[in-house]
Amino acid sequence: SGTRFSGAPLWRFTLRRDEQRRFLDDDAQQAAVPDGFTQQPDGWYWNSKHNVFWRASTRNFYRYSELTKTYVEISREPSVDKELRLLAEASSIHRHERLREDRHVIVRDLAKAAQALKMPIDHLARPVALFAVYDGHRPAPAPTTGEAAAEATTGESLEEAPPTCAEFCARNFHLKLLPQLAEFKG
């Protein structure tokens, strides 16, 4: 007759839907409250250490937005432990006899480095790594005469020069980055 009705009684679909809802409601009531959360009068659970809310009916975590006066769901980052494998190495070839001015930094496990520096970043998805390449710049030495000119051409006196901007960044960037990451809770 051209209709797409399967012939199944509608009351069966309604009954099945209601059973599923009851099952989900019972399951939500039996959900274990995460460690560190205490129940609030409005039905939410609150973790004072992380300032995060949890709702048993959805089993999701929320933060309270003072701006909008609403609870905003914290999206769960998908686990990439089994999906992402990364291997990083570096090499550098210097074609000039001058002092090396470029630097690179590889921190394969930034979370472990942060823990060692007592700035944990456990709230970030893992794996966390830092890869950086810094292009160095150093002004060319001024032309001199005699013995000083020989030292300038061989590069021996350049080793006593202050570090390049690339070397400074390579030594200090992670010290500026880690406190910012430790404070970031978005």
Side-chain angles (χ1 to χ4, degrees):
S1 67
T3 62
R4 297 189 180 250
F5 182 65
S6 66
L10 187 57
W11 65 270
R12 283 190 186 166
F13 291 122
T14 307
L15 181 65
R16 195 172 297 153
R17 183 195 63 208
D18 292 343
E19 287 175 358
Q20 288 176 346
R21 283 185 183 165
R22 276 195 302 276
F23 176 76
L24 290 174
D25 289 343
D26 291 345
D27 196 31
Q29 290 175 356
Q30 295 172 1
V33 177
D35 293 337
F37 284 82
T38 56
Q39 188 168 14
Q40 302 299 304
D42 59 357
W44 289 87
Y45 291 85
W46 180 59
N47 184 313
S48 59
K49 181 179 177 184
H50 298 290
N51 197 21
V52 173
F53 292 88
W54 182 75
R55 182 164 226 158
S57 61
T58 61
R59 293 186 185 179
N60 290 330
F61 294 94
Y62 299 83
R63 64 178 173 77
Y64 186 75
S65 172
E66 291 290 335
L67 182 64
T68 61
K69 304 288 187 208
T70 60
Y71 294 96
V72 180
E73 183 178 349
I74 299 172
S75 61
R76 294 182 186 208
E77 294 291 327
S79 175
V80 293
D81 290 337
K82 296 179 180 137
E83 300 162 8
L84 179 65
R85 297 286 182 230
L86 182 66
L87 178 64
E89 296 295 332
S91 67
S92 179
I93 298 174
H94 301 286
R95 301 195 189 277
H96 303 291
E97 294 180 8
R98 295 179 10 179
L99 186 63
R100 188 175 116 202
E101 296 177 356
D102 299 335
R103 297 287 187 265
H104 65 268
V105 174
I106 298 176
V107 180
R108 289 181 180 86
D109 191 348
L110 192 61
K112 189 183 288 185
Q115 191 69 33
L117 293 172
K118 300 196 182 345
M119 293 182 253
I121 55 173
D122 298 330
H123 57 280
L124 297 178
R126 298 217 179 170
V128 182
L130 170 68
F131 306 98
V133 177
Y134 305 100
D135 183 22
H137 300 283
R138 185 186 304 238
T144 57
T145 59
E147 193 173 298
E151 285 181 6
T153 57
T154 61
E156 294 172 8
S157 64
L158 290 176
E159 292 187 23
E160 297 172 9
T164 64
C165 60
E167 187 171 340
F168 177 81
C169 291
R171 289 181 183 178
N172 296 299
F173 179 71
H174 66 286
L175 298 175
K176 299 287 185 183
L177 176 69
L178 285 175
Q180 297 292 323
L181 290 176
E183 289 178 17
F184 177 73
K185 302 292 183 195

